[in-house]
Amino acid sequence: MIDITDPAVGMVQLVIFTVEPNSQQQIASAIADQVEKTVAHRAGFLSATYHLSTDGTQIMNYAQWTSTDAFDAFVTNPAARAALADLDGILSTTGSAWRIHRAVTPASAR
Amino acid sequence: MIDITDPAVGMVQLVIFTVEPNSQQQIASAIADQVEKTVAHRAGFLSATYHLSTDGTQIMNYAQWTSTDAFDAFVTNPAARAALADLDGILSTTGSAWRIHRAVTPASAR
C-alpha cells in the first residue's frame, strides 16, 4: 500500500523517461531493480512507482520523499545515480518536484 | 487514503496545467472544487490528487480511474469538461495515460 496522501510525504519527485520503441517494460524493470538495490536504502525515501505510458514511449516514476533535503542528498550522491547511467535505451529524462495540494475522492465515498 | 497500488486502478491519467504566475494555489483549488462537483460523481472515477510544482508554475493532477473506458466516457462528455474551460489563468494543459508497472518501497520496510 502506497498512500498518496500520507502526511509523511514532504515532496513528490516526478521523473519521466523517454525510451526506445519496444523497450519500455524491460527498461522500467531494470530501473526499478537498480532503485531497489540503491535508493530504497536511503533515509527519507518512501516509495517509487513505475508507470508505463499507454502509447509505449515513456516511463514515469512517481516517487515520494520525506523532504526536499532528503531527495537533494540522494541527487548529489554520485554513487547512487551511477547505476542508472549504465542502462541502455533511455533517450531522455526529465524530473520535477511537487508538493501535495488537495485530493478529491468519489462522491459516493463521502 | 489513496493507494497508488490499489488493484482497482485500471489507468492513471496525469494532467499538467501551466498557470499564470502567483495563481497556482488559487487555480488548483478552483479545479479541485469543480472536479468535486462533477467528475467525482462519475462511474469509474477513483481519485484526483492536485500537486503544486515547487517552482510555482504548474499544477499536476494524478488521477486514478477503474478503466480507460470509464475515463474516455468522461472525456467525451462535454458537460463534464465545460466547467474547467471557464477557469482563468490556465496557460496550457497536457494529459497522458499510464498503467502501473511496479512499486519499490524502502528496504527497511521489506
Side-chain angles (χ1 to χ4, degrees):
Chain A
M1 201 272 293
I2 295 174
D3 185 4
I4 290 184
T5 58
D6 182 346
V9 176
M11 72 100 72
V12 169
Q13 179 75 6
L14 200 73
V15 185
I16 295 181
F17 305 90
T18 301
V19 296
E20 287 177 0
N22 305 316
S23 65
Q24 190 190 32
Q25 290 207 30
Q26 182 199 331
I27 293 175
S29 294
I31 297 172
D33 285 345
Q34 290 296 340
V35 165
E36 206 156 60
K37 283 187 223 162
T38 57
V39 189
H41 292 262
R42 292 197 66 88
F45 170 82
L46 293 174
S47 75
T49 307
Y50 294 86
H51 301 62
L52 308 180
S53 65
T54 56
D55 70 2
T57 66
Q58 294 187 309
I59 299 160
M60 179 255 291
N61 173 17
Y62 181 102
Q64 298 173 308
W65 290 81
T66 54
S67 69
T68 302
D69 285 351
F71 173 74
D72 288 347
F74 154 66
V75 165
T76 55
N77 180 333
R81 304 188 68 192
L84 289 187
D86 288 339
L87 295 176
D88 286 330
I90 298 176
L91 302 176
S92 68
T93 306
T94 61
S96 49
W98 306 81
R99 59 194 169 84
I100 301 285
H101 178 66
R102 179 172 145 198
V104 177
T105 49
S108 58
R110 287 195 294 268
Chain B
M1 202 271 293
I2 295 174
D3 185 4
I4 290 184
T5 59
D6 182 347
V9 175
M11 72 98 73
V12 169
Q13 179 75 6
L14 199 73
V15 186
I16 295 181
F17 305 90
T18 301
V19 297
E20 288 178 0
N22 304 316
S23 65
Q24 190 190 31
Q25 289 207 30
Q26 181 199 331
I27 292 174
S29 294
I31 296 172
D33 285 345
Q34 290 296 341
V35 165
E36 206 156 60
K37 283 187 223 163
T38 57
V39 189
H41 292 262
R42 292 197 66 88
F45 170 83
L46 293 174
S47 75
T49 306
Y50 293 86
H51 300 63
L52 308 180
S53 65
T54 56
D55 70 1
T57 66
Q58 294 187 310
I59 299 160
M60 179 254 290
N61 173 18
Y62 182 101
Q64 297 174 307
W65 290 81
T66 54
S67 70
T68 302
D69 285 351
F71 173 73
D72 289 347
F74 153 65
V75 165
T76 55
N77 180 333
R81 303 189 68 193
L84 289 187
D86 288 338
L87 295 176
D88 286 331
I90 298 176
L91 302 176
S92 68
T93 306
T94 61
S96 49
W98 307 81
R99 60 194 169 84
I100 299 286
H101 178 67
R102 178 171 146 199
V104 177
T105 49
S108 59
R110 287 196 295 268

